[in-house]
Amino acid sequence: MKLKGPRTNNLFKIVTALFENIIADLERWDRRKFVKEVFTQNLRTKSVALIFTLFFFYYVNLQNIQQKTLFIPLKIKKPEELALVTEIPESITLSISGRRDDLINLDNNNIFAEISIATNELEGEVTSFPIVKGIPDEIQILGISPDKVDLTFSSLHSKIIRVLPEFVGQLSRSFILDQYTIVPKRLKVSAPLDILEDLTSLKTEPIDIGDLKASKEFEVELNKNIHPNIVVDKSKKFTVSLFIKNRIETRTVVGKFPVEIEFLPDTLVTNEDYFLNRVSYKLKNGVRGEFDFSSEERFFYLDGSAIEEAGTYLLEVKFDNSIKDLEITRVEPSSINVVVEPEIVF
């Protein structure tokens, strides 16, 4: 162990001075006489000096020794064929001692406790003893708590399950999610049998669709919140394609909507007014609200081009579906009895 600091330097000076005096004595007397005088002369003074030196040496070293408590992570090293089915402590309490400077410079991030399982034939309950790693040689381990951990292992079984995209957020009222695809659709997973029996699918990480206004493709991974005993390739990428369509709102209005008869021969006329009392329609491309069919514009008509003489005819109501963002789906009545008379010329 290396000694540092001003107190240690003073100690070296004292010891050096002591040996210098001894060397000076060796030069002045012969060896026999010196040895005799060492043990016979000034014994009290020399004993006091030696005791003081030893006391000072241990005092300086004890002043530099300190203790420290750390909370370090516990890691389980095991074969992939085994699953740990019991919860383990998140951390281990570690008590250490060492010189003050060594404890200050200690990198806690490199210290951890590890339980290593070397065989994949181990199944059931087992008591293991954590081993602390990452402690430098100059640091002394005083103790760890807990010093043993009870673990339960189970063998893994495999099967192929579906992968489903997880959506968050909500599309605006103007759009709908028509369909989606995900590639790949399935994935091989391994888990203890009791978990695997109830496992039918896994979800991807959340996909936010709140701002979508058009079809889009996403590349995502599996959701991170997977049971810890499920063994799966969590880095695998999935391509999710979303197909967005404009929402079409269907509405029905009741009222009095004029119907015009067209294409009658010039010699024939009808003297009655015809009306619809119900119209069903769809608004496309996210258009909202109600459409006004009672305006002066004629949306509905009767085709009189096949009429050649006066009489009563049942004609089908026709309508113009060329209007932007509007699709008429149904009218009532769908057919009207029309009375056609000769035109009277005065």
Side-chain angles (χ1 to χ4, degrees), residues 10 22 40 62 218 222 308 328:
N10 291 335
I22 294 175
T40 59
L62 289 175
F218 295 86
L222 286 175
E308 297 180 352
I328 299 172

Side-chain angles (χ1 to χ4, degrees), residues 151-166:
L151 304 174
T152 302
F153 292 94
S154 175
S155 59
L156 297 178
H157 302 265
S158 300
K159 76 174 182 179
I160 305 296
I161 63 171
R162 294 182 302 160
V163 179
L164 302 176
E166 180 176 357

Side-chain angles (χ1 to χ4, degrees), residues 262-276:
E262 298 181 351
F263 312 120
L264 274 177
D266 294 338
T267 58
L268 299 175
V269 295
T270 178
N271 296 318
E272 298 182 20
D273 294 327
Y274 303 100
F275 299 93
L276 300 177

Side-chain angles (χ1 to χ4, degrees), residues 247-303:
R247 182 187 298 274
I248 300 178
E249 294 190 7
T250 302
R251 295 176 176 272
T252 299
V253 291
V254 178
K256 195 174 182 180
F257 310 109
V259 181
E260 183 179 357
I261 184 167
E262 298 181 351
F263 312 120
L264 274 177
D266 294 338
T267 58
L268 299 175
V269 295
T270 178
N271 296 318
E272 298 182 20
D273 294 327
Y274 303 100
F275 299 93
L276 300 177
N277 54 42
R278 184 185 298 268
V279 177
S280 298
Y281 64 95
K282 292 180 180 179
L283 293 177
K284 299 181 292 185
N285 301 322
V287 176
R288 301 174 62 186
E290 292 187 357
F291 198 88
D292 184 11
F293 291 100
S294 61
S295 64
E296 294 182 359
E297 184 176 357
R298 299 291 181 173
F299 296 99
F300 311 103
Y301 65 95
L302 301 171
D303 186 359

Side-chain angles (χ1 to χ4, degrees), residues 78 80 82-87 152-157 189-196 199 226-232 234:
K78 63 177 182 62
E80 293 184 356
L82 286 179
L84 179 62
V85 297
T86 53
E87 294 186 2
T152 302
F153 292 94
S154 175
S155 59
L156 297 178
H157 302 265
V189 300
S190 301
L193 190 59
D194 58 334
I195 296 177
L196 202 63
L199 188 65
I226 298 177
H227 194 289
N229 289 332
I230 296 177
V231 179
V232 66
K234 297 181 180 179

